Amino acid sequence: MLSSLIVFLVEVSDRGLYKLRLIPVFLSYTRVDLAKGEELTAICQRMQFLCANFNTNIVQTTEGLEVNLGAGKNATISSTPSL
């Protein structure tokens, strides 16, 4: 059985979350490999289509996809929720 999946990696700094990375992988029995070629393209295009429905800006990279969470790596993020 073969499946296409996405591994989600969240990058954080001392100021909070700043990037969400989506890495397409190809899963077969007892093995996970990075998606390549047509498989990578198909997974990325599908995820971009799904994210567009939520107005989420997702950018393709050499590894897969990224979502900039807007705060930036060096931005100041308040730990106090606004009401």
Side-chain angles (χ1 to χ4, degrees), residues 3-5 12-13 21 23 27 30 32-33 38 40 43-44 49 52 55 57-58 65 71 73-76:
S3 297
S4 300
L5 304 168
V12 297
S13 72
R21 294 172 46 209
I23 310 297
L27 179 66
T30 71
V32 177
D33 293 306
E38 291 179 17
L40 173 66
I43 295 169
C44 288
F49 172 77
N55 294 321
N57 184 23
I58 190 165
L65 300 162
K73 189 173 185 177
N74 299 315
T76 302

Side-chain angles (χ1 to χ4, degrees), residues 46-72:
R46 175 72 176 148
M47 188 58 82
Q48 286 173 312
F49 172 77
L50 294 171
C51 289
N53 290 326
F54 294 97
N55 294 321
T56 301
N57 184 23
I58 190 165
V59 178
Q60 188 163 354
T61 67
T62 56
E63 290 186 311
L65 300 162
E66 287 185 2
V67 177
N68 184 332
L69 299 176

